[in-house]
């Protein structure tokens, strides 16, 4: 199974400042079609997960443009250009290239300093 | 708008069984693969099962293989998870989620809590 790791696991941020979360896989996530099936999910406290980014860098409908995804191969990053209060919660990366199983990272907790 | 609504969770004794349902609306159910993902209290996300749009192909995590069965009724726009031989380690919120067109897990339900305890 593909192992996903994230860093940091906890990220205190200042409102209005940028934030960055790293996600790494133990093997390349590039599929035979050339895509890397790497998603990012946000889970606000008490809510179900919501997908933010799919295939590394594509923002889902309704996701603010302060969220961006980048990376390739085994190294990926989620960036928030200016953190807002509503961004508090857990962030998970997930690979959908080598399945089953789909595998998630351990999560990064984002909160306000 | 995509709606996924899970139901059927509750308290069950170890060794018992439970069947979860996920009612889908707002999209053409027959066009989409579907998954079940769970989240133990205070823990991260764990994918547990996947079913093709027709229901012909099913996939399971090792942690539930042989105990859980995923199925769907496309005439009723519904997804199911039959859970047998439950243990305390199966205590979690169970989410159903939809695959998009060429991507995974684009929409999630609100979840259904399953508690396995004597």
């Amino acid at each position: 199974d593909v192992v996903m790791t994230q860093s940091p696991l906890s990220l205190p941020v200042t409102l209005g400042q940028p934030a960055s979360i790293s996600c790494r896989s133990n093997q390349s996530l590039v599929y035979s079609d050339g895509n890397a099936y790497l998603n990012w999910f946000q889970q606000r406290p008490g809510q179900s997960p919501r997908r933010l980014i799919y295939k590394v860098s594509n923002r889902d409908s309704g996701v603010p443009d302060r969220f961006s995804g980048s990376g390739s191969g085994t190294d990926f990053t989620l960036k928030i250009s200016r953190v807002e209060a509503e961004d508090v919660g857990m962030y998970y990366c997930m690979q959908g290239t080598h399945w089953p199983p789909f595998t998630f990272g351990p999560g990064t907790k984002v909160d306000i300093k | 708008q995509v709606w996924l609504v899970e139901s059927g969770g509750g308290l069950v004794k170890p060794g018992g069984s439970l069947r979860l349902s996920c009612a889908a609306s707002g999209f053409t159910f027959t066009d989409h693969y579907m998954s079940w993902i769970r989240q133990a209290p205070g823990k991260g996300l764990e994918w547990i099962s996947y079913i093709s749009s027709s229901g012909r192909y099913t996939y399971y995590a090792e942690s539930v293989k042989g105990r859980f069965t995923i199925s769907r009724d496309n005439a009723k726009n519904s997804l199911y998870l039959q859970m047998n031989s439950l243990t305390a380690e199966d205590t979690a919120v169970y989410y159903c989620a939809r695959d998009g067109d060429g991507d995974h897990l684009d929409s999630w339900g609100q979840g259904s809590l399953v508690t396995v305890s004597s």
Side-chain angles (χ1 to χ4, degrees), chain B residues 37-113:
Chain B
I37 301 102
R38 68 183 179 184
Q39 186 171 36
K43 302 297 184 182
L45 300 168
E46 179 190 16
W47 169 86
I48 56 171
S49 190
Y50 193 40
I51 188 167
S52 63
S53 51
S54 67
R56 180 176 180 183
Y57 301 104
T58 58
Y59 308 87
Y60 299 93
E62 287 298 323
S63 58
V64 306
K65 195 175 291 184
R67 299 188 300 123
F68 289 12
T69 302
I70 190 172
S71 63
R72 63 193 295 163
D73 185 336
N74 284 345
K76 294 183 177 179
N77 288 350
S78 292
L79 176 73
Y80 305 102
L81 186 68
Q82 177 67 42
M83 303 184 294
N84 299 331
S85 303
L86 287 162
T87 73
E89 286 67 43
D90 297 314
T91 294
V93 174
Y94 286 73
Y95 297 100
C96 65
R98 183 192 84 159
D99 268 15
D101 182 15
D103 54 77
H104 301 298
L105 308 183
D106 69 344
S107 298
W108 295 57
Q110 88 289 348
S112 183
L113 176 62

Side-chain angles (χ1 to χ4, degrees), chain A residues 23-104:
Chain A
C23 173
R24 288 191 168 92
S25 57
N26 66 348
Q27 58 183 279
S28 174
L29 298 186
V30 178
Y31 189 56
S32 55
D33 64 2
N35 290 308
Y37 290 87
L38 187 284
N39 294 346
W40 288 97
F41 298 88
Q42 175 195 62
Q43 187 175 30
R44 292 172 172 151
Q47 295 187 12
S48 56
R50 165 200 183 194
R51 198 178 70 179
L52 299 176
I53 302 285
Y54 63 97
K55 286 189 278 190
V56 180
S57 60
N58 297 276
R59 253 191 321 273
D60 274 283
S61 176
V63 174
D65 61 6
R66 65 179 181 274
F67 290 93
S68 64
S70 64
S72 63
T74 61
D75 289 346
F76 305 92
T77 302
L78 176 70
K79 292 183 179 177
I80 310 174
S81 60
R82 294 173 306 279
V83 172
E84 297 189 7
E86 66 178 17
D87 300 335
V88 165
M90 294 294 295
Y91 290 79
Y92 298 92
C93 61
M94 184 217 84
Q95 71 82 24
T97 297
H98 304 288
W99 63 271
F102 298 121
T103 48
F104 291 88

